[in-house]
């Protein structure tokens, strides 16, 4: 389950980067960034390895 959380966080960061450079999504893309950062921080706080 934790590796799934990491994959989702990476996908959200990539989606944010694409949206940020495309300027087509608007404010929702920043919400995705916040969710991705929270997921990554939770993973770091839990102290588990990526692989």
């Amino acid at each position: 389950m934790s590796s799934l959380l990491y994959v989702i966080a990476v996908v959200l960061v990539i989606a944010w980067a694409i949206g940020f450079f495309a300027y087509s999504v608007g404010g929702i893309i920043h919400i995705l960034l916040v969710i991705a950062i929270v997921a990554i921080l939770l993973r770091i706080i839990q102290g588990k390895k990526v692989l």
Side-chain angles (χ1 to χ4, degrees):
M1 168 105 176
S2 61
S3 63
L4 179 62
L5 181 64
Y6 184 74
V7 169
I8 291 172
V10 170
V11 168
L12 288 174
V13 169
I14 292 170
W16 172 81
I18 291 170
F20 182 77
F21 293 114
Y23 295 109
S24 62
V25 178
I28 191 75
I29 204 70
H30 296 290
I31 295 171
L32 291 176
L33 174 64
V34 170
I35 293 170
I37 290 174
V38 168
I40 292 171
L41 288 176
L42 286 174
R43 178 129 179 118
I44 292 172
I45 290 170
Q46 290 175 352
K48 295 184 179 179
K49 293 182 179 180
V50 174
L51 296 175

